[in-house]
Amino acid sequence: MLSALARAATRRPLTVIALWVVFLLLGFGLGTGVFGRLSDNVPEVPGTESEAAAQYLDRVDPAGDSVTAVVEGTAVSDPGLRAQVERAVADVRNVAGIAAVPDPYTTPGLLAEDGQALIIPVALEGGLDDDAEERAVNDAADRIQRIEAPEVHVSGGPLLGLQIGEKAQEDVRNAELISLPVVLALLLVVFGGLRSAAMPLVVAVSGIAGAFLALFLFSEVTDISVYAIQVTTMLGLGLAVDYALLMLVRFREERRNTDDVTEAVHRTVAAAGRTVLFSGLTVAVSLTGLLVFPSVFLRSMGLAVAAVVVVDMLAALTLLPALLARFGGKIPPAKIRPEGEEGRVFARLARFSTRNRVAVLAVVVPALLVLALPVAGMRINLGGAEQLPTSTEARQLYDTVEGHFPPGTGVSPVTVVLKPGTPQSTVDRIQSLSDRAETRDVPGGITVVELPPPGSADGGGATDLVKQVRDLRGDDPVEVTGPAARLVDFREMLADRAPWAAVTVLAGIFVLLFAFTGSVLIPLRTIATTLLSLGAALGVVVWVFQDGHLAGLLGAEGLGALSLTAPPLIVAIAFGLAMDYELFILARMREARRRTGDDQEAVVTGLRRSGRVVTCAALLLAVVFGAFMTGGFSPILQIGLGLTLAVLIDATVVRMLLVPATMALLGRRAWWAPKPLRKAHDRFGLSEEAEPAPRVTTNA
């Protein structure tokens, strides 16, 4: 298969390049339309009680969405300002699609006690189509923002998703402007030539186009989260550079053996291409664990990110060989270094770890476990506007309400749907759970009780309120919905499905690593060491963003919990990235072992030959992730920090110390497999690999 890809790419390189140019145009043309389709409905889980109750309530009592405006910065009792606000309220009431706009001066709770701010809630009519809703929201927001006051902010409802989408687009653009020049500079240092350094960026741009196009296509059939843009783009950019770096390093090595560029490309694809193929498959398999969860958000993220990984893999296996076949003749071969000079530092690390394997394990494993300890106290919450940068409209509105109004103002209530047949005694008990409970009747004999929670909509008080209602209802036809109920159901979904997701991913990774190595112990060792680095990275994320230690250095703050989006994405993506570097190293160890038959020396040689690539790849990925962390969006900061730490810990401590130590400890047993499995691997395992080539000189 890999040979066929290499032949196709080298036989008609311009055709392959032209096809990828068309793909790029589609990605940056059609694909960017996804920015207008982003959804912030992350916690919705089909089939849960909270989701079923919300849908039931929508059917029997359809109500429109709402947006909220705040005016602050001056005394709102000023006659001139009051006249402006009242005119604006009257005008907004006449906008098509607007159901109600209360007078903030006569409605209790809408004027701040300090007299420096007021709230204008705007309710939309139910049943509006997307275009009508967008026109109504935009017209209402435009009219309110013409109020002459120091600060006027409008957000919430449909506006929130739009504002976050615009922020995501801005963050992606800024991250690319920061990361691409830095990556190019680092690649220039690695390769010493512009032609070699530019090729990984061409593949990386293809990865970004693939990210946009994949998300756009998925948006046709499912909701795409506001977090998807940054996550898929950062991963697509980072992995593309990784794969291209691996291929280019191998190509320059093969050029030492032959002047025939086509032959060098074929051998590169046969050797490094095999590693890229398995790496892409392992990252994709790691993301299949997200498909086990019924959450639309997690499933769509898993599919989208896996699609981007496949695009990167295909670009590395087709576009890059075509570029090398067309332009690779001017790329100089890797320098021939004196015996023992190449990868000297990494060889010393490997020898140190193999000689002191027990001591290395005794120090490194406990250290990683200590870093992972905060994971035991990890909490996840929905989060809200407080997770956004202070420059965003939604965050400014949130800060205004927090600064001028009593705690709990604007907090979404716990909504209890009491269907026909519910005893009055149950209704009374539910109402007694809050002294601010509000009750209303809706068509069909249904009673709705709204319980304002103490504190935030996703805090402990709100989730406890959900559990109290569910405990006391017994067998009565009562259902609970609202943000707090969705959070409770999301947490239960994670707890129920996480073991199945873990089994799915670990089984898939085991099979792929066995196919790659022919060993049953190496996959087990790889999984164990990877879990250590992953736990350490996630522990630091909890310590920083949940507990608030050093969060200010990242422009963030301790929020008491992680965003519910962060842990599953960090685990799934980081696990796949760790497999990336493991395969880079194992490929070289396997080659050395096949060539010499010396297990211990194969470990040293493998690290000597792969250490530089792994280190450079990890550094480049860290640059990419770091650039995306400049946007200030807390969930992206959490994901970015988690992935950066996972990559750096894995590429340094784990791969440079733990891997050689554990391989030395296992010795020849590391490559062991039962006879039936060994025969199966010999027959079905992918073993396409380049052997050392004789020196060939051509007239080209």
Side-chain angles (χ1 to χ4, degrees), residues 606-631:
L607 200 58
R608 178 200 295 273
R609 302 290 298 279
S610 62
R612 182 167 175 263
V613 174
V614 169
T615 302
C616 291
L619 181 59
L620 292 169
L621 263 183
V623 167
V624 172
F625 294 157
F628 277 87
M629 291 169 64
T630 59

Side-chain angles (χ1 to χ4, degrees), residues 137 175 230 352 382 529 571 589 700:
V137 169
Q230 292 99 325
F352 171 82
L382 297 176
T529 54
V571 170
M589 288 183 181

Side-chain angles (χ1 to χ4, degrees), residues 67-73 116-122 137 140-156 159-160 163 385 389-402 404-405:
V67 296
T68 303
V70 294
V71 178
E72 70 156 337
Q116 298 296 305
L118 59 82
I119 298 174
I120 306 174
V122 179
V137 169
D142 289 344
R143 178 61 188 90
I144 291 172
Q145 286 169 340
R146 291 204 300 271
I147 296 173
E148 295 180 4
E151 299 288 342
V152 179
H153 305 296
V154 189
S155 188
L159 270 180
L160 180 60
Q163 291 165 354
T390 54
S391 60
T392 58
E393 189 90 352
R395 175 61 186 269
Q396 291 166 354
L397 187 148
Y398 170 84
D399 289 341
T400 299
V401 174
E402 282 285 297
H404 293 282
F405 291 86

Side-chain angles (χ1 to χ4, degrees), residues 15 34 126 449 661:
T15 301
V34 73
V449 178

